[in-house]
Amino acid sequence: MRVYDKFYINGQWVEPIGKGSDEVINPANGEISARVPYGNTEDVNAAVRAAKNAFGSWSNTTAAERADFLRKIAVEGEKRNADLTQTIIDELGMPIQHAAAFQVDPLAIICESFAVKAKHMEEAKEVGNSVIIQEPIGVCAMINPWNYPVWQMIGKIAPAIAAGCTMVVKAASQTPSHLFMFAEICDAVGLPAGVFNMVHGSGREIGTALSSHPDVDMVTFTGSTAAGVQVTNAASTDVKRVCLELGGKSPFIITEEADLEAAIDFGINDVMVNTGQTCNALTRMVIHESVYEQAVELAKSKSEALTIGNPLDPNVFVGPMSSPGQKQSVLDYIDQAIADGARLVTGGTEMPAGLTKGNYVLPTVFADVTNDMAIAQEEVFGPVLVMIKYSTIVQAIEIANDTPYGLASAVWAGDKDKATTIARRIRAGQCAINGGEPNHEAPFGGYKESGNGREFGVEGMHEYCEIKSLQY
Ligand code: NAP
């Protein structure tokens, strides 16, 4: 069991002022995997003070110096790859075949990406008698979710370092250990005191204290839309910048000319990875009526072929849900979908065969779903796919856009040009064309209730910048 008892503030491991602690439970077996301190508002005050004091000198470092630190973090992060990966398996339950590849390996890639982009902070643009420059926004509060903890964390920290910001970071209560390890990494590379600070505790107390702190200039939040609204309200009193990365209910349009087998393969993998706990999961498959039943059969056989079980088993694709509460919420959605008249193609509320403990939910597929059902409108955040039939492409686009969310989407058509024409009409921040893979150099973020910011790419660094125009 991992035990942490200090926070990393101002370049030192310090005793928390708050005296609480919390146990982290392994979702695969119910055992305690870590114990971490729970801080309070005074710990947040100390961390923000350190970040504020460090900002003056850190924001005056050169882009090359900051890039150098990012590269050192990448090297040190690679040395800690196995430790970080183990925290993801123990605390989230993500299977070993995905935990490093999806969460921890990108740490070095993302650090290098922003090490290269840091130089843009020193560029100036001339417009008539003006010169436009960018400056770091200041002290950033970073609040992260539990579903992709390392990836989300570095997606905020690396651009903030590149821009010259200082920061206070909070992880989700369910998945804290990676953040303590990341503090060890910052310490090992000699990142100047106060640039990176971390605290831990409940979102309600620590998250609110960070979001409303008068010395925080920007809050960057990834999590549920409900908590994102609370963060925005708390941050509004002194007009902080708020960057939100929220939930999704993303559509995947499959036309009659698509390579159906490849499309269904792509769609099932996308929905079931991380046991469906993925913000941009393509959970609504919108399929042309002429190939609908064939698609349902393929989705059934593909889902039933996925190995479910112990995340430490290298053959396992689907691990447990992150918590008993998350599992129950998914089971309730499955029951409701059946009551609403959706056809259960595979999966359901039974425990998978051979498993007696752990928060497991069977990979589940529903057919004959209409887009007004709760299972098609609400973010289930579990291994549940809904399949919706369309007859014209206009109808397919209407269905795709009939959602309060707009994080991601996908289209699989006969060719890339046809797919791109459809993609341009979907109101979402990204679209995978005929199986296109994610790209860490491209901006990631949502329309509508999926958020208002962008992470990754040069746009991801611009979130951490103020713009100044100098008139001559
Ligand atoms: P969550 O309950 O909203 O929690 C996210 C983080 O916010 C946690 O650190 C939580 O702390 C904290 N928090 C909770 N209430 C808060 C408040 N009132 N003020 C400030 N902080 C607060 O979300 P989650 O269940 O961890 O994550 C799942 C959600 O995140 C899903 O909706 C998913 O789609 C979304 N997500 C979006 C993206 C994206 O990039 N768009 C990526 C990943 C996940 P505690 O853990 O201590 O409660």
Side-chain angles (χ1 to χ4, degrees):
M1 183 174 77
R2 289 176 205 93
V3 178
Y4 295 99
D5 58 3
K6 295 190 172 61
F7 295 147
Y8 190 75
I9 294 176
N10 205 25
Q12 290 179 326
W13 288 101
V14 298
E15 292 283 343
I17 301 165
K19 292 299 168 212
S21 70
D22 194 29
E23 288 170 347
V24 183
I25 306 297
N26 183 323
N29 55 26
E31 290 169 10
I32 300 170
S33 65
R35 182 168 293 120
V36 290
Y38 246 43
N40 62 19
T41 302
E42 287 183 63
D43 292 296
V44 169
N45 291 341
V48 173
R49 202 162 38 245
K52 188 180 178 191
N53 288 340
F55 180 68
S57 56
W58 179 246
S59 59
N60 272 307
T61 52
T62 64
E65 285 171 290
R66 298 193 300 276
D68 196 39
F69 276 114
L70 282 169
R71 293 194 168 106
K72 286 181 181 155
I73 290 171
V75 170
E76 198 62 27
E78 283 189 326
K79 284 190 212 158
R80 301 296 302 272
N81 185 299
D83 297 339
L84 286 164
T85 301
Q86 196 60 48
T87 71
I88 298 302
I89 298 168
D90 294 345
E91 298 180 6
L92 173 61
M94 191 179 212
I96 194 165
Q97 68 161 289
H98 301 134
F102 284 38
Q103 299 258 6
V104 187
D105 296 350
L107 187 149
I109 296 165
I110 293 165
C111 283
E112 177 57 27
S113 167
F114 285 105
V116 170
K117 290 175 181 59
K119 65 176 182 290
H120 295 306
M121 293 301 296
E122 293 173 351
E123 289 169 356
K125 187 172 74 175
E126 286 187 33
V127 182
N129 65 319
S130 301
V131 173
I132 317 296
I133 58 171
Q134 297 183 97
E135 294 177 346
I137 190 165
V139 175
C140 301
M142 302 178 171
I143 304 173
N144 272 320
W146 45 261
N147 61 332
Y148 284 85
V150 177
W151 182 74
Q152 290 294 339
M153 173 193 73
I154 201 66
K156 290 178 169 50
I157 291 174
I161 287 180
C165 293
T166 58
M167 63 212 77
V168 180
V169 189
K170 174 195 140 29
S173 292
Q174 278 169 249
T175 54
S177 293
H178 69 284
L179 187 58
F180 290 83
M181 282 182 193
F182 189 77
E184 291 166 0
I185 290 170
C186 291
D187 199 52
V189 304
L191 194 67
V195 173
F196 165 87
N197 307 276
M198 57 83 54
V199 288
H200 190 66
S202 79
R204 201 161 290 280
E205 179 166 5
I206 296 284
T208 306
L210 283 167
S211 310
S212 59
H213 200 293
D215 289 331
V216 166
D217 300 290
M218 167 176 172
V219 187
T220 167
F221 171 87
T222 301
S224 60
T225 299
V229 170
Q230 289 173 350
V231 165
T232 305
N233 289 338
S236 66
T237 48
D238 56 0
V239 202
K240 291 185 206 322
R241 182 173 304 168
V242 178
C243 174
L244 299 173
E245 300 288 347
L246 308 175
K249 191 75 191 177
S250 299
F252 178 12
I253 296 178
I254 301 177
T255 72
E256 65 265 52
E257 308 95 0
D259 176 343
L260 199 59
E261 209 159 329
I264 301 295
D265 203 53
F266 175 80
I268 294 292
N269 281 342
D270 179 273
V271 171
M272 303 304 174
V273 76
N274 206 20
T275 320
Q277 301 163 124
T278 302
C279 52
N280 57 340
L282 302 167
T283 46
R284 288 185 300 141
M285 207 178 257
V286 184
I287 308 140
H288 190 263
E289 58 190 4
S290 65
V291 292
Y292 184 79
E293 281 308 326
Q294 202 187 337
V296 169
E297 275 314 303
L298 284 167
K300 173 176 161 56
S301 59
K302 173 77 187 159
S303 298
E304 289 174 356
L306 297 173
T307 311
I308 178 165
N310 185 345
L312 287 169
D313 179 341
N315 296 315
V316 160
F317 191 98
V318 181
M321 306 295 308
S322 65
S323 68
Q326 193 64 29
K327 170 176 173 168
Q328 192 53 51
S329 162
V330 175
L331 297 184
D332 290 347
Y333 271 114
I334 293 174
D335 279 335
Q336 186 178 348
I338 294 168
D340 287 347
R343 169 168 42 125
L344 181 65
V345 174
T346 188
T349 54
E350 297 297 314
M351 195 73 166
L355 294 170
T356 52
K357 60 178 180 179
N359 311 321
Y360 292 97
V361 175
L362 283 164
T364 296
V365 176
F366 282 108
D368 301 341
V369 172
T370 53
N371 204 49
D372 56 349
M373 291 180 185
I375 198 77
Q377 283 293 314
E378 295 175 24
E379 187 183 41
V380 175
F381 229 49
V384 180
L385 172 71
V386 301
M387 303 183 78
I388 303 170
K389 196 186 292 180
Y390 77 85
S391 14
T392 66
I393 202 64
V394 171
Q395 193 190 8
I397 292 163
E398 264 172 27
I399 294 168
N401 288 334
D402 177 21
T403 167
Y405 294 111
L407 185 56
S409 61
V411 178
W412 205 305
D415 61 59
K416 286 186 182 171
D417 288 346
K418 277 190 190 157
T420 304
T421 305
I422 299 167
R424 285 179 177 278
R425 296 176 62 189
I426 300 176
R427 303 276 301 155
Q430 54 178 329
C431 188
I433 307 288
N434 285 10
E437 291 296 326
N439 173 6
H440 283 122
E441 293 299 321
F444 179 96
Y447 289 16
K448 302 195 275 183
E449 291 182 24
S450 289
N452 58 11
R454 291 295 177 271
E455 289 185 331
F456 306 104
V458 77
E459 294 82 357
M461 191 176 71
H462 286 160
E463 293 286 346
Y464 295 87
C465 299
E466 289 284 20
I467 294 171
K468 182 177 279 179
S469 59
L470 307 167
Q471 272 63 250
Y472 292 91

